[in-house]
Amino acid sequence: MKDLVIIGSGPAGLAAAIYARRAELDFVVLEKAPMSGGQIVDTYEVDNYPGLPGMNGFDLAMAFRGHADKLGAAFESAEVTAIEKKEDGTFLVVTDKDNYETKTIILAMGASHAQLGVPGEDSLRGSGVSYCATCDGAFFRDKTAIVIGGGDVALEDALFLARGCSKVYLVHRRDELRGTMILQKQVKENDKIEILWDSVLTEIEGSAKVEKARIKNVKTGDEKEVETDAVFIAVGIVPATDFVKDFVKVDAKGFIEAGEDMATSVPGVFAAGDIRTKRLRQVITA
C-alpha cells in the first residue's frame, strides 16, 4: 500500500515527486513516455522560467528529473489503464504491467496541443512552429508570424504577437471569427494584423527554420506562399484524460475540474498541471 501514486512525469508530476520525497512519503511516479519532462522536452528554448532565461526545454526537463532523482524519488515505466476506488477508500491503479494500491493519487498526465498534421509541422516544431505564443512570441520581435485559428486563444495570440512582431497573419477557415466580440474588435482594428478569411494552412516550408507557409482558400481553391518566421497553431488543446473521464468530473473539453487546491470530485484524488481546468498553461503554473 503506497501513500501516493503520481501519474505523469511532466513539470507537475516531477514537482509533486520532489515534494512527496521531502515529506518522506512512500510513493511512485508512473510515466508512460520514454522520458520525463512532458511538453517542454520538445521546446527549443524556455525564456520565461524564473532564474533560467534561455534554458533549453530538454535541459530544463532533465534538471527537474535530476532533482527528483537526487532526492531518491521512485519512477516506474508503465501506462495506466484504469483507476478503481476500493471499499475502504483506498485506490487500485491498474497499468499495463503491475497494479498499485495507494491511499492518494495525483493525476498529472498533462495535455497536448491539437495538431494540423500538415507537412513541415513536425520537422520544424521548435524552430518556428509553436503552439504557445506566450511561451515563444518574444523570439520573433520585429519579425513576421502566422496564427492559425479563429477562437479566443488564436485571437489572444494574434494580439499578443502584434505587440512585438512587425506583421501578423491570422488564418481562419471560415468567413467569421468564433472568438468573443471584444477580441474580434481588437483584432480587426489592429493595423499589424491581417486576417486571411476562408483559408487553411496546407504546408510549412523551411530548412533549419520556418521560412514560408502555403495557404489555401477553401472557397476558390487558390493557393499562395506567405513568407513568415513563425507559425503559431491555436486550434485547441487535448487533455490526456481518457482513462479517468468516468472516474473524476471533467469539463466539456475533457479537462479535470479542480481548483487551486487541486482536489478533484473524488476525495483523495488530485489533479495538477495542464490536465486541470485553468486559464494559463505554463511550466511555472504546472
Side-chain angles (χ1 to χ4, degrees):
M1 175 67 67
K2 298 287 185 185
D3 292 321
L4 168 68
V5 169
I6 300 168
I7 306 173
S9 62
L14 293 173
I18 291 167
Y19 275 81
R21 189 68 190 89
R22 285 173 53 81
E24 296 189 354
L25 299 180
D26 179 14
F27 74 99
V28 65
V29 181
L30 303 178
E31 53 182 355
K32 179 178 71 172
M35 68 175 63
S36 302
Q39 297 175 63
I40 58 169
V41 171
D42 297 321
T43 304
Y44 176 72
E45 192 172 357
V46 179
D47 201 42
N48 58 357
Y49 193 83
L52 297 172
M55 185 73 157
N56 177 279
F58 177 83
D59 291 341
L60 184 60
M62 293 305 100
F64 288 169
R65 173 60 190 262
H67 190 166
D69 285 337
K70 184 177 181 180
L71 293 176
F75 290 81
E76 295 291 343
S77 178
E79 181 175 356
V80 178
T81 57
I83 299 174
E84 302 172 8
K85 189 167 186 178
K86 300 163 68 178
E87 290 185 2
D88 62 359
T90 61
F91 303 94
L92 180 69
V93 179
V94 181
T95 81
D96 58 350
K97 295 179 180 177
D98 299 318
N99 295 340
Y100 298 84
E101 291 183 315
T102 182
K103 299 173 185 175
T104 52
I105 296 172
I106 294 178
L107 303 172
M109 296 88 73
S112 58
H113 292 275
Q115 299 180 23
L116 296 174
V118 300
E121 181 178 5
D122 281 337
S123 60
L124 291 169
R125 184 179 303 175
S127 298
V129 174
S130 174
Y131 301 85
C132 180
T134 307
C135 310
D136 301 328
F139 298 121
F140 300 98
R141 186 170 299 277
D142 298 324
K143 296 183 179 181
T144 300
I146 291 176
V147 176
I148 311 297
D152 281 354
V153 174
L155 302 188
E156 288 171 353
D157 283 357
L159 290 167
F160 177 82
L161 292 168
R163 298 177 191 173
C165 292
S166 58
K167 178 75 175 181
V168 178
Y169 294 97
L170 179 63
V171 178
H172 185 47
R173 64 167 55 247
R174 300 179 180 86
D175 58 5
E176 60 182 25
L177 300 169
R178 294 181 291 108
T180 55
M181 293 307 298
I182 185 65
L183 290 175
Q184 291 191 37
K185 185 173 184 290
Q186 291 173 3
V187 166
K188 291 174 181 177
E189 291 177 351
N190 194 305
D191 293 336
K192 287 187 177 181
I193 300 173
E194 179 180 344
I195 304 175
L196 302 181
W197 300 104
D198 303 314
S199 298
V200 294
L201 177 73
T202 60
E203 185 177 357
I204 304 170
E205 301 176 6
S207 50
K209 61 180 182 178
V210 170
E211 298 170 2
K212 298 177 182 178
R214 294 194 65 83
I215 308 296
K216 178 181 179 180
N217 186 294
V218 295
K219 288 187 175 179
T220 65
D222 293 338
E223 283 197 45
K224 65 178 180 180
E225 281 188 346
V226 177
E227 292 188 359
T228 184
D229 300 287
V231 176
F232 290 86
I233 300 172
V235 293
I237 298 177
V238 183
T241 54
D242 286 344
F243 70 89
V244 293
K245 282 183 177 179
D246 297 325
F247 186 71
V248 295
K249 189 175 182 181
V250 300
D251 65 14
K253 295 181 179 179
F255 291 95
I256 297 172
E257 294 190 358
E260 289 299 320
D261 61 359
M262 299 176 223
T264 71
S265 58
V266 178
V269 179
F270 301 84
D274 284 3
I275 201 169
R276 74 177 181 89
T277 50
K278 56 194 298 191
R279 286 187 58 83
L280 188 64
R281 292 182 168 84
Q282 299 274 277
V283 178
I284 192 66
T285 62

